[in-house]
């Protein structure tokens, strides 16, 4: 007699039991998200104020330089009774505009909008990912899409940050003149951000493959 192969309806994906660590991560993420939301709102308000010059001549921006600068400063290292003379040859830091030029005011306000916006989007996607894991659902299509969105968002964040760095370097850093220091020309391009984006993108495809294998296993006996 011929055997009949039976199929059954795919069962719902088993949810994972939430451990104490998942609960802690979930609540910490929620608290940090709302704190960041408040900070982002403040940042947007500040960006609007800077764009429309609400501070007038009282605006004194502190901006981090995108490049290191060469200095020749002598100092002394004291360890116990031993004293060693040292020289500071390279450093990094911020500059303060006593009166911010209008062109720079517009550039900084626009990039504040962009950076705050993409940062909020990334935090929101991560919050949704953690929420799914908290509910016990980890390896599903929703989380796969969230991981992809986060990885693409990180790449966009890197593009914005790199563009901002290059603009600062070519418009500001190259034209700065000081008596005792000079710009080194070494620009930071933040490659580690792309590594994080690549890792999350690869992880999303691993999750996708695992999800497909589980669906195939549920469809057959």
């Amino acid at each position: 007699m011929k055997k009949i192969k039976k199929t059954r309806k795919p069962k719902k994906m088993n949810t994972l039991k939430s451990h104490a660590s998942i609960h802690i991560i979930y609540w910490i993420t929620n608290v940090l998200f709302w704190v960041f939301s408040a900070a982002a709102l403040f940042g947007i308000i500040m960006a609007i104020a800077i764009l429309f010059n609400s501070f007038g001549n009282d605006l004194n921006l502190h901006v981090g330089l995108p490049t290191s600068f060469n200095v020749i400063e002598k100092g002394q290292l004291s360890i116990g009774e031993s004293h060693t003379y040292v020289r500071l040859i390279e450093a990094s830091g911020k500059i303060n505009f006593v009166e911010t030029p209008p062109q720079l005011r517009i550039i900084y306000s626009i990039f504040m909008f962009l950076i705050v916006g993409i940062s909020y989007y990334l935090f929101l996607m991560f919050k949704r990912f953690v929420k799914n894991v908290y509910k016990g659902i980890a390896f599903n299509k929703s989380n796969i899409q969230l991981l992809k969105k986060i990885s693409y968002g990180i790449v966009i964040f890197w593009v914005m940050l790199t563009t901002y760095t290059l603009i600062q370097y070519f418009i500001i850093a190259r034209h700065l003149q000081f008596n005792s220091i000079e710009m080194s020309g070494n620009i930071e391009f933040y490659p580690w951000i792309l590594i994080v984006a690549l890792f999350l993108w690869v992880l999303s495809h691993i999750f996708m493959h695992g999800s497909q294998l589980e669906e195939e296993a549920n469809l057959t006996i």
Side-chain angles (χ1 to χ4, degrees):
M1 188 174 177
K2 206 173 186 180
K3 291 185 179 179
I4 300 175
K5 186 178 179 180
K6 295 182 179 180
T7 60
R8 58 181 178 181
K9 292 181 180 180
K11 58 184 179 180
K12 292 183 178 179
M13 189 177 293
N14 294 329
T15 57
L16 302 174
K17 184 179 178 181
S18 296
H19 297 282
S21 57
I22 299 298
H23 286 268
I24 294 173
I25 293 172
Y26 173 75
W27 289 110
I28 290 177
T29 301
N30 275 275
V31 171
L32 291 179
F33 174 77
W34 291 112
V35 171
F36 177 81
S37 298
L41 179 61
F42 177 75
I44 293 295
I45 294 173
M46 286 293 296
I48 294 173
I50 293 172
L51 181 62
F52 291 99
N53 197 23
S54 300
F55 300 100
N57 294 329
D58 295 329
L59 177 62
N60 297 324
L61 284 179
H62 291 75
V63 181
L65 288 174
T67 180
S68 58
F69 44 88
N70 299 322
V71 296
I72 301 177
E73 182 69 24
K74 294 181 180 180
Q76 180 175 287
L77 173 66
S78 299
I79 303 177
E81 297 182 357
S82 174
H83 305 284
T84 304
Y85 288 99
V86 297
R87 288 190 304 168
L88 180 64
I89 58 174
E90 188 176 73
S92 60
K94 296 182 178 182
I95 57 173
N96 169 236
F97 295 103
V98 179
E99 291 184 6
T100 308
Q103 301 90 336
L104 295 182
R105 187 181 70 243
I106 295 173
I107 291 174
Y108 287 130
S109 59
I110 290 174
F111 272 99
M112 282 181 69
F113 280 119
L114 294 175
I115 296 297
V116 169
I118 190 62
S119 299
Y120 181 82
Y121 173 80
L122 290 172
F123 213 145
L124 181 62
M125 294 301 103
F126 179 74
K127 177 177 174 290
R128 291 177 180 176
F129 178 83
V130 172
K131 184 178 180 180
N132 284 343
V133 176
Y134 175 75
K135 289 180 177 179
I137 304 171
F139 303 100
N140 66 346
K141 292 181 179 179
S142 175
N143 271 2
I144 293 171
Q145 291 302 317
L146 286 173
L147 283 176
K148 286 184 178 180
K149 288 179 180 179
I150 293 172
S151 63
Y152 298 149
I154 291 175
V155 172
I156 294 173
F157 179 84
W158 176 82
V159 171
M160 289 181 182
L161 189 60
T162 302
T163 304
Y164 173 75
T165 298
L166 291 174
I167 288 175
Q168 278 208 106
Y169 176 73
F170 286 105
I171 293 181
I172 300 175
R174 287 186 62 183
H175 302 284
L176 288 174
Q177 296 179 357
F178 296 99
N179 294 327
S180 59
I181 66 173
E182 62 179 6
M183 296 297 115
S184 66
N186 299 324
I187 305 175
E188 176 62 55
F189 288 106
Y190 314 99
W192 59 270
I193 295 179
L194 288 179
I195 294 174
V196 172
L198 178 62
F199 172 78
L200 292 176
W201 185 78
V202 171
L203 187 63
S204 70
H205 281 73
I206 294 174
F207 276 30
M208 185 187 302
H209 183 65
S211 177
Q212 291 173 351
L213 291 177
E214 186 169 3
E215 286 181 4
E216 291 174 3
N218 291 336
L219 288 172
T220 58
I221 299 178

